[in-house]
Amino acid sequence: MVTRGAKGYNDMIATQDDGKTWEKAPELTEEEKAAKAKTNEERILLKREKRDEDAKQKELEVMATQWAKREYLRKSLKRAVSVKEADFIEVVWDRAMFEADLKYRTMKGQAVNESEERTEFREAQEKKKKEAYSAERERWDKMAYEELEPPQDKSITLGR
């Protein structure tokens, strides 16, 4: 612009007015508009579902923590509990989440068969415990004596 002077500037403005230099984006067809709207709706629906799932998970965690604290209090009133509350919550967290899920579904009016689900949960926990025990037993059997008690350095250094 500067190199062409005022005449060049005026010519450039005139060509812009004519629409020669700028091209307009093509208009979207009805099908493209519908597809774009559909993807926007799906995206919004997915975001809403994710937000609802996150809210449910937070509520479940709060309910599980409350259940674990009540359980700790109940056990500590019966007899002395040798672990702190935070450690107890960590130990019973799976059960607390299970209990919170049962309570949540009951509150929302969903069908819950507590006795059957509790039985299935206990069986799953027993199976999980047996698998962990056998894995630890296998690891222990594979250990060598040196791994249990590393050899001590019995050499004597004299001087510096």
Side-chain angles (χ1 to χ4, degrees):
M1 278 187 334
V2 175
T3 57
R4 295 184 187 163
K7 183 179 183 309
Y9 176 75
N10 290 333
D11 290 341
M12 186 185 71
I13 296 295
T15 57
Q16 282 183 351
D17 290 341
D18 294 341
K20 293 178 183 174
T21 58
W22 295 95
E23 292 183 21
K24 293 185 179 181
E27 293 292 325
L28 295 177
T29 64
E30 291 300 321
E31 293 173 353
E32 292 173 337
K33 287 180 183 177
K36 188 174 182 181
K38 186 177 180 182
T39 57
N40 284 340
E41 290 174 10
E42 289 173 355
R43 189 168 18 105
I44 290 170
L45 184 63
L46 287 174
K47 283 183 182 180
R48 184 177 297 137
E49 288 175 359
K50 185 179 183 320
R51 185 180 64 231
D52 291 346
E53 186 63 32
D54 290 344
K56 176 185 174 185
Q57 192 63 30
K58 286 179 184 177
E59 189 174 350
L60 283 175
E61 288 175 1
V62 168
M63 290 167 65
T65 304
Q66 290 173 348
W67 181 88
K69 286 181 178 183
R70 280 195 310 272
E71 192 69 14
Y72 179 79
L73 177 65
R74 190 176 66 79
K75 290 200 184 258
S76 65
L77 289 176
K78 283 186 179 180
R79 61 185 170 0
V81 179
S82 60
V83 295
K84 296 188 183 216
E85 185 175 326
D87 296 332
F88 182 83
I89 290 172
E90 186 178 327
V91 168
V92 298
W93 186 250
D94 288 338
R95 170 106 190 266
M97 285 298 286
F98 171 75
E99 295 290 339
D101 184 50
L102 278 179
K103 184 177 180 182
Y104 181 85
R105 288 187 288 144
T106 304
M107 287 175 18
K108 295 296 180 181
Q110 298 173 352
V112 177
N113 187 351
E114 284 191 38
S115 59
E116 185 177 308
E117 289 187 32
R118 287 183 197 279
T119 304
E120 289 174 6
F121 178 76
R122 268 191 231 106
E123 289 171 357
Q125 289 298 99
E126 287 295 322
K127 182 180 177 185
K128 188 175 169 184
K129 188 164 61 170
K130 285 179 183 177
E131 288 173 358
Y133 178 75
S134 63
E136 185 64 23
R137 178 82 171 198
E138 187 176 309
R139 187 183 71 82
W140 185 261
D141 289 342
K142 289 181 180 178
M143 284 179 132
Y145 184 73
E146 291 79 27
E147 292 175 355
L148 298 176
E149 289 185 26
Q152 296 182 3
D153 187 21
K154 295 181 180 179
S155 61
I156 300 174
T157 56
L158 298 174
R160 289 188 189 192

